[in-house]
C-alpha cells in the first residue's frame, strides 16, 4: 500500500416487502500510488543543430522547437552547439530553460516505476542542472526543486554522421498531479 492509498468498507442492505433483509459487505481498496503516472513511449528529440525539434515539454509531453520558447515550456533541450559539436557529433548533454534538475540513476527499475519510487529516487539522488554523457538505456529522474516530475528511460542515443539525424529516443513516466 502507498501512503496516499485509502481503504473503506461498503455495506449493502436489501429488504423485501415481507421484512426479510440481507446484507453483504465489500472492502474497497484504492491504491493511488501505483496508478498516478502517465507513460508515453517512443518520444524523439533531435540535436539542436538539426532542423527537427530539439527540445521537449514535460508539461505537454511533446517535442518542441527552440523557437517555441515564447509559447511552450522547453523543459529539456539538447545542448549541441556549433562551437562544441562542429564535427557533426551529438552533445549527449541535456539542459533546461525551466529549472528542471536531472538525476542520473543507473540502478532504477523503470519498468516497475510508480509515483512513489520516482519521488523517492529523485529525493535521494544528486540533482544537476544538466546531465552529460547520455547513452542508450540511461535512466534519468527529473524534477524542479525538491519535487519529482518524471522518470525518463533513454532507449536510443543516435549520433549519426552530420547533425540532421542525431536524436534521442526515450520513454517517460510522468507523475500526475
Amino acid at each position: 500500500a502507498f501512503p496516499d492509498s485509502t481503504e473503506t468498507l461498503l455495506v449493502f442492505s436489501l429488504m423485501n416487502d415481507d421484512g426479510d433483509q440481507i446484507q453483504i459487505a465489500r472492502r474497497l481498496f484504492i491504491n493511488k500510488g501505483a496508478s498516478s503516472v502517465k507513460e508515453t513511449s517512443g518520444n524523439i528529440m533531435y540535436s539542436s543543430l538539426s532542423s527537427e525539434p530539439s527540445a521537449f515539454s514535460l508539461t505537454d509531453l511533446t517535442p518542441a522547437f527552440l523557437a517555441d520558447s515564447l509559447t511552450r515550456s522547453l523543459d529539456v533541450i539538447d545542448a549541441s552547439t556549433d562551437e562544441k559539436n562542429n564535427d557533426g557529433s551529438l552533445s549527449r548533454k541535456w539542459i533546461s530553460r525551466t529549472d528542471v534538475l536531472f538525476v542520473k540513476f543507473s540502478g532504477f527499475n523503470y519498468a516497475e516505476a510508480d509515483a512513489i519510487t520516482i519521488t523517492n529516487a529523485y529525493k535521494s539522488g544528486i540533482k544537476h542542472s544538466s546531465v552529460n554523457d547520455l547513452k542508450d538505456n540511461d535512466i534519468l529522474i527529473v524534477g524542479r526543486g525538491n519535487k519529482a516530475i518524471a522518470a525518463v528511460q533513454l532507449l536510443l542515443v543516435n549520433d549519426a554522421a552530420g547533425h540532421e539525424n542525431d536524436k534521442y529516443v526515450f520513454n517517460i513516466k510522468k507523475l500526475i498531479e
Side-chain angles (χ1 to χ4, degrees), residues 48 50-56 63-74 77 97:
S48 291
S50 77
S51 61
E52 300 294 329
S54 59
F56 197 85
F65 289 92
L66 291 176
D68 295 338
S69 64
L70 296 176
T71 58
R72 302 186 53 206
S73 60
L74 304 182
I77 303 168
R97 290 189 180 166

Side-chain angles (χ1 to χ4, degrees), residues 11-25:
V11 179
F12 300 93
S13 298
L14 180 64
M15 184 182 300
N16 64 15
D17 292 339
D18 295 331
D20 298 327
Q21 184 175 347
I22 186 169
Q23 287 187 331
I24 188 167

Side-chain angles (χ1 to χ4, degrees), residues 39 49 155:
E39 184 169 17
L49 299 175
L155 302 174

Side-chain angles (χ1 to χ4, degrees), residues 34-157:
S35 63
S36 58
V37 294
K38 177 180 180 180
E39 184 169 17
T40 62
S41 58
N43 302 290
I44 299 175
M45 186 175 78
Y46 289 85
S47 165
S48 291
L49 299 175
S50 77
S51 61
E52 300 294 329
S54 59
F56 197 85
S57 169
L58 294 170
T59 304
D60 303 328
L61 293 176
T62 57
F65 289 92
L66 291 176
D68 295 338
S69 64
L70 296 176
T71 58
R72 302 186 53 206
S73 60
L74 304 182
D75 298 308
V76 179
I77 303 168
D78 170 63
S80 295
T81 63
D82 284 325
E83 182 179 292
K84 293 182 181 178
N85 303 98
N86 63 359
D87 61 351
S89 65
L90 182 65
S91 70
R92 297 176 178 262
K93 178 179 180 178
W94 286 2
I95 58 174
S96 175
R97 290 189 180 166
T98 60
D99 298 323
V100 166
L101 298 174
F102 303 92
V103 175
K104 207 171 197 181
F105 209 115
S106 60
F108 188 78
N109 184 346
Y110 181 86
E112 299 294 323
D114 58 36
I116 300 300
T117 58
I118 292 169
T119 299
N120 289 343
Y122 183 73
K123 286 181 180 177
S124 67
I126 299 171
K127 298 155 195 63
H128 300 280
S129 59
S130 64
V131 61
N132 301 311
D133 302 320
L134 294 171
K135 59 187 181 304
D136 297 356
N137 302 313
D138 275 350
I139 304 292
L140 308 173
I141 311 297
V142 296
R144 271 189 203 92
N146 290 320
K147 185 176 181 186
I149 297 172
V152 178
Q153 177 188 39
L154 278 163
L155 302 174
L156 172 70
V157 178

